[in-house]
Amino acid sequence: MTSRLPATAPVLMSTIEGLNYRVTVGDVASQAGLELNLTQQGLMTLASESGGDLQVADSGEIVYVFAPDFRHVLRNKFLRLRLQEVWRKIWRVLFYIIRISFGIILIGLIVAAIVAIIALALAAQASRGEDNDSDWGNIGWGGGSLGYWWHPNIFWLFDWNTGYGHRRRYRQPERPGETPQLNFLESIFSFLFGDGNPNADLDDRRWQSIGSIIRNHQGAIIAEQVTPFLDQTDTLLANESSILPVLLRFNGQPEVSPDGEIIYHFPQLQSTAESKRKKYVANYLEEKPWQFTQATTGQVTIAIILGIVLLVLGVMLQGMLATAGAVSGLIQAIALLALVYGIIYLAIPAGRYFWLQRQNQQIAARNQQRQDQAAQLDRVSPEIQHKLDFAKQFAAETIIRKQDLIYTTEEDLMPQELKQAGADWEKQLQDRHPEAP
């Protein structure tokens, strides 16, 4: 079967579940921060494909009702959803392998470089005809310096839940929001490349916050209430063009007061399937600063030391190769890889550190700008207060209850028409004879 599910299906399904399976377009759009038109199309598709029901109120508003197992129905019906879930599980394993591979390569090159140096040294001594028996005891295969590398339990390197020097293999975060500790091999990847963009969800947070602000104020707002969530300047704030993307996304319309003040009205976000408490929203959209690494200080120290060790070994090998005679291609390859990998290994974090400093300065500047814009609303000047008072005239919330329905796909059409006709007849009689019981 060809999938007709929208690209926003995963977000829509999660939002529907969070809203207890009975939703309006406004409920989902404001909660997920999605465009109203896309939300409406997506809900219609999900309801059609999962066997959901539609409830129509006498005001014309539509409520979408989904069964608690609608995700299971869709997953069984659409191969794409099943493949997405399988791929997420596979990717988690693959990404973990990628993360630890850099540490494995680092340690492997260090060991290979040490072995290559020993091989070159032995070859040089053999070429001079010297007796090397007395030197074997100093190599330290069973103990001493090289023996240190043969740890009795090397599996701590691969532990998903513990870090270097810790035996708590299944340590869980002690506080909500605490970052799980990386194991040693993961810390190498974190030291090299960091742990991802902390603001990857910035746009989602932006529109979810704006949608919640509109719902909290019952569908009528002023520009100053959402400007701290947009990347705009004070000049744009003055002519209120900053709110144009919000109007387009949530089908809003401007309303002008007799004094020429402009407020913004969002009728489709004023209908809801059930009454909800106001959702807390911060005063402004705050970007999170980039973190260099989630690895511990000890892990970073060891990562740097190992990088320096590899670089030194690479330089030593290059020097020994310059004075050696015929050497196997494997040792030449190890020497080149050790030198190149050591340089790149130390250069990437160094360059990334300075790049992050610049990024964090820009983030701090944007956060300060949004905070200053939010402060304008906190001061509540007479002009802003007039606009807020005017916006209240358009504020409304329509809760679509069972008794407000004139049609639902949960029942056959004929009984609903008879029931509606009876209700209309009773209303007409009541209007003609209001004194009748």
Side-chain angles (χ1 to χ4, degrees), residues 10-42:
V11 177
L12 290 173
M13 290 190 292
S14 298
T15 306
I16 291 169
E17 290 169 337
L19 293 173
N20 203 25
Y21 306 101
R22 187 174 183 268
V23 299
T24 64
V25 173
D27 288 334
V28 176
S30 60
Q31 180 83 7
L34 297 174
E35 293 184 17
L36 270 170
N37 294 334
L38 292 179
T39 303
Q40 185 171 13
Q41 295 173 7

PDB file of all heavy atoms in Angstrom, residues 10-42:
ATOM      1  N   PRO A  10       4.450  11.632  12.937  1.00  0.00           N
ATOM      2  CA  PRO A  10       4.971  11.302  14.283  1.00  0.00           C
ATOM      3  C   PRO A  10       4.637  12.368  15.319  1.00  0.00           C
ATOM      4  O   PRO A  10       4.256  12.047  16.458  1.00  0.00           O
ATOM      5  CB  PRO A  10       6.482  11.189  14.050  1.00  0.00           C
ATOM      6  CG  PRO A  10       6.627  10.827  12.608  1.00  0.00           C
ATOM      7  CD  PRO A  10       5.517  11.564  11.921  1.00  0.00           C
ATOM      8  N   VAL A  11       4.764  13.639  14.946  1.00  0.00           N
ATOM      9  CA  VAL A  11       4.449  14.723  15.886  1.00  0.00           C
ATOM     10  C   VAL A  11       2.957  14.754  16.178  1.00  0.00           C
ATOM     11  O   VAL A  11       2.535  14.921  17.337  1.00  0.00           O
ATOM     12  CB  VAL A  11       4.915  16.081  15.315  1.00  0.00           C
ATOM     13  CG1 VAL A  11       4.533  17.217  16.254  1.00  0.00           C
ATOM     14  CG2 VAL A  11       6.408  16.072  15.075  1.00  0.00           C
ATOM     15  N   LEU A  12       2.156  14.592  15.159  1.00  0.00           N
ATOM     16  CA  LEU A  12       0.702  14.593  15.350  1.00  0.00           C
ATOM     17  C   LEU A  12       0.271  13.464  16.270  1.00  0.00           C
ATOM     18  O   LEU A  12      -0.556  13.674  17.182  1.00  0.00           O
ATOM     19  CB  LEU A  12      -0.009  14.467  14.004  1.00  0.00           C
ATOM     20  CG  LEU A  12       0.072  15.667  13.052  1.00  0.00           C
ATOM     21  CD1 LEU A  12      -0.528  15.314  11.699  1.00  0.00           C
ATOM     22  CD2 LEU A  12      -0.646  16.871  13.659  1.00  0.00           C
ATOM     23  N   MET A  13       0.821  12.278  16.074  1.00  0.00           N
ATOM     24  CA  MET A  13       0.414  11.128  16.890  1.00  0.00           C
ATOM     25  C   MET A  13       0.800  11.335  18.348  1.00  0.00           C
ATOM     26  O   MET A  13       0.012  11.045  19.264  1.00  0.00           O
ATOM     27  CB  MET A  13       1.044   9.845  16.332  1.00  0.00           C
ATOM     28  CG  MET A  13       0.444   9.416  14.999  1.00  0.00           C
ATOM     29  SD  MET A  13       0.948   7.759  14.452  1.00  0.00           S
ATOM     30  CE  MET A  13       2.677   8.043  14.109  1.00  0.00           C
ATOM     31  N   SER A  14       1.996  11.846  18.597  1.00  0.00           N
ATOM     32  CA  SER A  14       2.423  12.093  19.971  1.00  0.00           C
ATOM     33  C   SER A  14       1.551  13.151  20.634  1.00  0.00           C
ATOM     34  O   SER A  14       1.196  13.031  21.817  1.00  0.00           O
ATOM     35  CB  SER A  14       3.890  12.535  19.994  1.00  0.00           C
ATOM     36  OG  SER A  14       4.733  11.525  19.486  1.00  0.00           O
ATOM     37  N   THR A  15       1.186  14.185  19.883  1.00  0.00           N
ATOM     38  CA  THR A  15       0.343  15.248  20.435  1.00  0.00           C
ATOM     39  C   THR A  15      -1.061  14.740  20.726  1.00  0.00           C
ATOM     40  O   THR A  15      -1.654  15.078  21.767  1.00  0.00           O
ATOM     41  CB  THR A  15       0.279  16.430  19.448  1.00  0.00           C
ATOM     42  OG1 THR A  15       1.603  16.852  19.117  1.00  0.00           O
ATOM     43  CG2 THR A  15      -0.473  17.594  20.067  1.00  0.00           C
ATOM     44  N   ILE A  16      -1.609  13.933  19.838  1.00  0.00           N
ATOM     45  CA  ILE A  16      -2.943  13.353  20.063  1.00  0.00           C
ATOM     46  C   ILE A  16      -2.951  12.513  21.337  1.00  0.00           C
ATOM     47  O   ILE A  16      -3.880  12.592  22.148  1.00  0.00           O
ATOM     48  CB  ILE A  16      -3.356  12.503  18.840  1.00  0.00           C
ATOM     49  CG1 ILE A  16      -3.620  13.408  17.631  1.00  0.00           C
ATOM     50  CG2 ILE A  16      -4.595  11.665  19.159  1.00  0.00           C
ATOM     51  CD1 ILE A  16      -3.767  12.660  16.325  1.00  0.00           C
ATOM     52  N   GLU A  17      -1.919  11.716  21.518  1.00  0.00           N
ATOM     53  CA  GLU A  17      -1.832  10.887  22.730  1.00  0.00           C
ATOM     54  C   GLU A  17      -1.733  11.760  23.976  1.00  0.00           C
ATOM     55  O   GLU A  17      -2.340  11.463  25.009  1.00  0.00           O
ATOM     56  CB  GLU A  17      -0.629   9.955  22.621  1.00  0.00           C
ATOM     57  CG  GLU A  17      -0.806   8.856  21.568  1.00  0.00           C
ATOM     58  CD  GLU A  17       0.479   8.104  21.271  1.00  0.00           C
ATOM     59  OE1 GLU A  17       1.575   8.657  21.521  1.00  0.00           O
ATOM     60  OE2 GLU A  17       0.393   6.960  20.780  1.00  0.00           O
ATOM     61  N   GLY A  18      -0.967  12.858  23.874  1.00  0.00           N
ATOM     62  CA  GLY A  18      -0.829  13.745  25.019  1.00  0.00           C
ATOM     63  C   GLY A  18      -2.101  14.497  25.357  1.00  0.00           C
ATOM     64  O   GLY A  18      -2.288  14.932  26.501  1.00  0.00           O
ATOM     65  N   LEU A  19      -2.999  14.649  24.385  1.00  0.00           N
ATOM     66  CA  LEU A  19      -4.259  15.368  24.589  1.00  0.00           C
ATOM     67  C   LEU A  19      -5.436  14.422  24.811  1.00  0.00           C
ATOM     68  O   LEU A  19      -6.592  14.813  24.672  1.00  0.00           O
ATOM     69  CB  LEU A  19      -4.539  16.274  23.384  1.00  0.00           C
ATOM     70  CG  LEU A  19      -3.552  17.441  23.202  1.00  0.00           C
ATOM     71  CD1 LEU A  19      -3.817  18.167  21.889  1.00  0.00           C
ATOM     72  CD2 LEU A  19      -3.650  18.411  24.374  1.00  0.00           C
ATOM     73  N   ASN A  20      -5.140  13.185  25.108  1.00  0.00           N
ATOM     74  CA  ASN A  20      -6.168  12.215  25.504  1.00  0.00           C
ATOM     75  C   ASN A  20      -7.094  11.819  24.356  1.00  0.00           C
ATOM     76  O   ASN A  20      -8.275  11.545  24.570  1.00  0.00           O
ATOM     77  CB  ASN A  20      -6.986  12.740  26.686  1.00  0.00           C
ATOM     78  CG  ASN A  20      -7.643  11.629  27.469  1.00  0.00           C
ATOM     79  OD1 ASN A  20      -7.176  10.489  27.467  1.00  0.00           O
ATOM     80  ND2 ASN A  20      -8.751  11.941  28.128  1.00  0.00           N
ATOM     81  N   TYR A  21      -6.592  11.845  23.110  1.00  0.00           N
ATOM     82  CA  TYR A  21      -7.241  11.236  21.944  1.00  0.00           C
ATOM     83  C   TYR A  21      -8.475  11.970  21.435  1.00  0.00           C
ATOM     84  O   TYR A  21      -9.078  11.545  20.472  1.00  0.00           O
ATOM     85  CB  TYR A  21      -7.603   9.769  22.232  1.00  0.00           C
ATOM     86  CG  TYR A  21      -6.434   8.952  22.702  1.00  0.00           C
ATOM     87  CD1 TYR A  21      -6.267   8.649  24.056  1.00  0.00           C
ATOM     88  CD2 TYR A  21      -5.463   8.499  21.811  1.00  0.00           C
ATOM     89  CE1 TYR A  21      -5.181   7.906  24.497  1.00  0.00           C
ATOM     90  CE2 TYR A  21      -4.379   7.754  22.239  1.00  0.00           C
ATOM     91  CZ  TYR A  21      -4.247   7.466  23.595  1.00  0.00           C
ATOM     92  OH  TYR A  21      -3.169   6.738  24.022  1.00  0.00           O
ATOM     93  N   ARG A  22      -8.865  13.068  22.038  1.00  0.00           N
ATOM     94  CA  ARG A  22     -10.001  13.866  21.546  1.00  0.00           C
ATOM     95  C   ARG A  22      -9.514  15.303  21.388  1.00  0.00           C
ATOM     96  O   ARG A  22      -9.221  15.975  22.379  1.00  0.00           O
ATOM     97  CB  ARG A  22     -11.182  13.788  22.511  1.00  0.00           C
ATOM     98  CG  ARG A  22     -12.456  14.466  21.984  1.00  0.00           C
ATOM     99  CD  ARG A  22     -13.637  14.219  22.917  1.00  0.00           C
ATOM    100  NE  ARG A  22     -14.873  14.798  22.374  1.00  0.00           N
ATOM    101  CZ  ARG A  22     -15.301  16.021  22.665  1.00  0.00           C
ATOM    102  NH1 ARG A  22     -14.622  16.788  23.525  1.00  0.00           N
ATOM    103  NH2 ARG A  22     -16.427  16.476  22.122  1.00  0.00           N
ATOM    104  N   VAL A  23      -9.425  15.764  20.136  1.00  0.00           N
ATOM    105  CA  VAL A  23      -8.733  17.020  19.880  1.00  0.00           C
ATOM    106  C   VAL A  23      -9.439  17.829  18.806  1.00  0.00           C
ATOM    107  O   VAL A  23     -10.204  17.294  17.988  1.00  0.00           O
ATOM    108  CB  VAL A  23      -7.278  16.756  19.412  1.00  0.00           C
ATOM    109  CG1 VAL A  23      -6.488  16.023  20.481  1.00  0.00           C
ATOM    110  CG2 VAL A  23      -7.248  15.965  18.102  1.00  0.00           C
ATOM    111  N   THR A  24      -9.178  19.121  18.821  1.00  0.00           N
ATOM    112  CA  THR A  24      -9.529  19.995  17.713  1.00  0.00           C
ATOM    113  C   THR A  24      -8.247  20.366  16.974  1.00  0.00           C
ATOM    114  O   THR A  24      -7.133  20.115  17.462  1.00  0.00           O
ATOM    115  CB  THR A  24     -10.219  21.273  18.203  1.00  0.00           C
ATOM    116  OG1 THR A  24      -9.287  22.020  19.013  1.00  0.00           O
ATOM    117  CG2 THR A  24     -11.456  20.957  19.022  1.00  0.00           C
ATOM    118  N   VAL A  25      -8.417  20.982  15.821  1.00  0.00           N
ATOM    119  CA  VAL A  25      -7.243  21.439  15.070  1.00  0.00           C
ATOM    120  C   VAL A  25      -6.451  22.450  15.898  1.00  0.00           C
ATOM    121  O   VAL A  25      -5.221  22.420  15.938  1.00  0.00           O
ATOM    122  CB  VAL A  25      -7.678  22.056  13.727  1.00  0.00           C
ATOM    123  CG1 VAL A  25      -6.490  22.701  13.016  1.00  0.00           C
ATOM    124  CG2 VAL A  25      -8.308  21.002  12.833  1.00  0.00           C
ATOM    125  N   GLY A  26      -7.175  23.333  16.576  1.00  0.00           N
ATOM    126  CA  GLY A  26      -6.507  24.332  17.415  1.00  0.00           C
ATOM    127  C   GLY A  26      -5.735  23.711  18.554  1.00  0.00           C
ATOM    128  O   GLY A  26      -4.652  24.190  18.917  1.00  0.00           O
ATOM    129  N   ASP A  27      -6.290  22.651  19.172  1.00  0.00           N
ATOM    130  CA  ASP A  27      -5.579  21.964  20.261  1.00  0.00           C
ATOM    131  C   ASP A  27      -4.221  21.468  19.793  1.00  0.00           C
ATOM    132  O   ASP A  27      -3.191  21.701  20.437  1.00  0.00           O
ATOM    133  CB  ASP A  27      -6.409  20.778  20.757  1.00  0.00           C
ATOM    134  CG  ASP A  27      -7.631  21.207  21.549  1.00  0.00           C
ATOM    135  OD1 ASP A  27      -7.596  22.303  22.138  1.00  0.00           O
ATOM    136  OD2 ASP A  27      -8.607  20.446  21.573  1.00  0.00           O
ATOM    137  N   VAL A  28      -4.223  20.769  18.666  1.00  0.00           N
ATOM    138  CA  VAL A  28      -2.993  20.136  18.178  1.00  0.00           C
ATOM    139  C   VAL A  28      -2.015  21.182  17.656  1.00  0.00           C
ATOM    140  O   VAL A  28      -0.814  21.123  17.931  1.00  0.00           O
ATOM    141  CB  VAL A  28      -3.318  19.099  17.089  1.00  0.00           C
ATOM    142  CG1 VAL A  28      -2.043  18.502  16.509  1.00  0.00           C
ATOM    143  CG2 VAL A  28      -4.208  18.001  17.650  1.00  0.00           C
ATOM    144  N   ALA A  29      -2.521  22.153  16.894  1.00  0.00           N
ATOM    145  CA  ALA A  29      -1.634  23.167  16.310  1.00  0.00           C
ATOM    146  C   ALA A  29      -0.930  23.976  17.386  1.00  0.00           C
ATOM    147  O   ALA A  29       0.275  24.241  17.293  1.00  0.00           O
ATOM    148  CB  ALA A  29      -2.422  24.079  15.385  1.00  0.00           C
ATOM    149  N   SER A  30      -1.657  24.371  18.423  1.00  0.00           N
ATOM    150  CA  SER A  30      -1.040  25.176  19.488  1.00  0.00           C
ATOM    151  C   SER A  30      -0.109  24.350  20.353  1.00  0.00           C
ATOM    152  O   SER A  30       0.925  24.844  20.809  1.00  0.00           O
ATOM    153  CB  SER A  30      -2.130  25.815  20.358  1.00  0.00           C
ATOM    154  OG  SER A  30      -2.947  24.820  20.960  1.00  0.00           O
ATOM    155  N   GLN A  31      -0.453  23.089  20.590  1.00  0.00           N
ATOM    156  CA  GLN A  31       0.380  22.232  21.425  1.00  0.00           C
ATOM    157  C   GLN A  31       1.679  21.854  20.716  1.00  0.00           C
ATOM    158  O   GLN A  31       2.751  21.866  21.307  1.00  0.00           O
ATOM    159  CB  GLN A  31      -0.387  20.957  21.785  1.00  0.00           C
ATOM    160  CG  GLN A  31       0.378  19.974  22.653  1.00  0.00           C
ATOM    161  CD  GLN A  31       0.310  20.337  24.123  1.00  0.00           C
ATOM    162  OE1 GLN A  31      -0.414  21.250  24.509  1.00  0.00           O
ATOM    163  NE2 GLN A  31       1.067  19.626  24.943  1.00  0.00           N
ATOM    164  N   ALA A  32       1.587  21.515  19.431  1.00  0.00           N
ATOM    165  CA  ALA A  32       2.766  21.064  18.690  1.00  0.00           C
ATOM    166  C   ALA A  32       3.468  22.188  17.945  1.00  0.00           C
ATOM    167  O   ALA A  32       4.597  21.995  17.473  1.00  0.00           O
ATOM    168  CB  ALA A  32       2.352  19.975  17.687  1.00  0.00           C
ATOM    169  N   GLY A  33       2.822  23.350  17.822  1.00  0.00           N
ATOM    170  CA  GLY A  33       3.426  24.455  17.101  1.00  0.00           C
ATOM    171  C   GLY A  33       3.422  24.276  15.600  1.00  0.00           C
ATOM    172  O   GLY A  33       4.235  24.863  14.898  1.00  0.00           O
ATOM    173  N   LEU A  34       2.485  23.483  15.086  1.00  0.00           N
ATOM    174  CA  LEU A  34       2.411  23.214  13.651  1.00  0.00           C
ATOM    175  C   LEU A  34       1.492  24.211  12.952  1.00  0.00           C
ATOM    176  O   LEU A  34       0.616  24.820  13.579  1.00  0.00           O
ATOM    177  CB  LEU A  34       1.887  21.796  13.408  1.00  0.00           C
ATOM    178  CG  LEU A  34       2.745  20.642  13.944  1.00  0.00           C
ATOM    179  CD1 LEU A  34       2.015  19.327  13.754  1.00  0.00           C
ATOM    180  CD2 LEU A  34       4.097  20.611  13.256  1.00  0.00           C
ATOM    181  N   GLU A  35       1.686  24.354  11.651  1.00  0.00           N
ATOM    182  CA  GLU A  35       0.803  25.213  10.871  1.00  0.00           C
ATOM    183  C   GLU A  35      -0.611  24.643  10.884  1.00  0.00           C
ATOM    184  O   GLU A  35      -0.816  23.426  10.807  1.00  0.00           O
ATOM    185  CB  GLU A  35       1.300  25.318   9.429  1.00  0.00           C
ATOM    186  CG  GLU A  35       2.629  26.042   9.290  1.00  0.00           C
ATOM    187  CD  GLU A  35       3.038  26.197   7.839  1.00  0.00           C
ATOM    188  OE1 GLU A  35       2.165  26.036   6.963  1.00  0.00           O
ATOM    189  OE2 GLU A  35       4.225  26.471   7.587  1.00  0.00           O
ATOM    190  N   LEU A  36      -1.582  25.536  10.956  1.00  0.00           N
ATOM    191  CA  LEU A  36      -2.977  25.098  11.061  1.00  0.00           C
ATOM    192  C   LEU A  36      -3.422  24.279   9.854  1.00  0.00           C
ATOM    193  O   LEU A  36      -4.087  23.247   9.997  1.00  0.00           O
ATOM    194  CB  LEU A  36      -3.883  26.316  11.219  1.00  0.00           C
ATOM    195  CG  LEU A  36      -4.143  26.775  12.662  1.00  0.00           C
ATOM    196  CD1 LEU A  36      -4.838  28.117  12.677  1.00  0.00           C
ATOM    197  CD2 LEU A  36      -4.978  25.746  13.400  1.00  0.00           C
ATOM    198  N   ASN A  37      -3.069  24.719   8.661  1.00  0.00           N
ATOM    199  CA  ASN A  37      -3.509  23.995   7.468  1.00  0.00           C
ATOM    200  C   ASN A  37      -2.917  22.587   7.419  1.00  0.00           C
ATOM    201  O   ASN A  37      -3.616  21.614   7.096  1.00  0.00           O
ATOM    202  CB  ASN A  37      -3.127  24.772   6.213  1.00  0.00           C
ATOM    203  CG  ASN A  37      -3.872  26.089   6.098  1.00  0.00           C
ATOM    204  OD1 ASN A  37      -4.973  26.228   6.647  1.00  0.00           O
ATOM    205  ND2 ASN A  37      -3.291  27.051   5.400  1.00  0.00           N
ATOM    206  N   LEU A  38      -1.624  22.473   7.739  1.00  0.00           N
ATOM    207  CA  LEU A  38      -0.989  21.156   7.762  1.00  0.00           C
ATOM    208  C   LEU A  38      -1.579  20.287   8.856  1.00  0.00           C
ATOM    209  O   LEU A  38      -1.744  19.081   8.683  1.00  0.00           O
ATOM    210  CB  LEU A  38       0.517  21.313   7.965  1.00  0.00           C
ATOM    211  CG  LEU A  38       1.304  21.949   6.815  1.00  0.00           C
ATOM    212  CD1 LEU A  38       2.781  22.061   7.182  1.00  0.00           C
ATOM    213  CD2 LEU A  38       1.141  21.132   5.539  1.00  0.00           C
ATOM    214  N   THR A  39      -1.896  20.906   9.979  1.00  0.00           N
ATOM    215  CA  THR A  39      -2.492  20.156  11.085  1.00  0.00           C
ATOM    216  C   THR A  39      -3.847  19.602  10.703  1.00  0.00           C
ATOM    217  O   THR A  39      -4.164  18.439  10.971  1.00  0.00           O
ATOM    218  CB  THR A  39      -2.626  21.056  12.325  1.00  0.00           C
ATOM    219  OG1 THR A  39      -1.345  21.569  12.684  1.00  0.00           O
ATOM    220  CG2 THR A  39      -3.198  20.277  13.497  1.00  0.00           C
ATOM    221  N   GLN A  40      -4.662  20.431  10.063  1.00  0.00           N
ATOM    222  CA  GLN A  40      -5.994  19.985   9.662  1.00  0.00           C
ATOM    223  C   GLN A  40      -5.923  18.832   8.668  1.00  0.00           C
ATOM    224  O   GLN A  40      -6.631  17.832   8.795  1.00  0.00           O
ATOM    225  CB  GLN A  40      -6.769  21.158   9.059  1.00  0.00           C
ATOM    226  CG  GLN A  40      -8.221  20.825   8.723  1.00  0.00           C
ATOM    227  CD  GLN A  40      -9.001  22.069   8.324  1.00  0.00           C
ATOM    228  OE1 GLN A  40      -8.416  23.113   8.067  1.00  0.00           O
ATOM    229  NE2 GLN A  40     -10.317  21.952   8.282  1.00  0.00           N
ATOM    230  N   GLN A  41      -5.055  18.964   7.671  1.00  0.00           N
ATOM    231  CA  GLN A  41      -4.897  17.891   6.691  1.00  0.00           C
ATOM    232  C   GLN A  41      -4.367  16.621   7.339  1.00  0.00           C
ATOM    233  O   GLN A  41      -4.814  15.517   7.038  1.00  0.00           O
ATOM    234  CB  GLN A  41      -3.951  18.355   5.581  1.00  0.00           C
ATOM    235  CG  GLN A  41      -4.489  19.508   4.753  1.00  0.00           C
ATOM    236  CD  GLN A  41      -3.457  20.059   3.785  1.00  0.00           C
ATOM    237  OE1 GLN A  41      -2.369  19.506   3.638  1.00  0.00           O
ATOM    238  NE2 GLN A  41      -3.781  21.166   3.129  1.00  0.00           N
ATOM    239  N   GLY A  42      -3.404  16.789   8.244  1.00  0.00           N
ATOM    240  CA  GLY A  42      -2.822  15.630   8.909  1.00  0.00           C
ATOM    241  C   GLY A  42      -3.815  14.904   9.788  1.00  0.00           C
ATOM    242  O   GLY A  42      -3.880  13.667   9.786  1.00  0.00           O
TER     243      GLY A  42
END
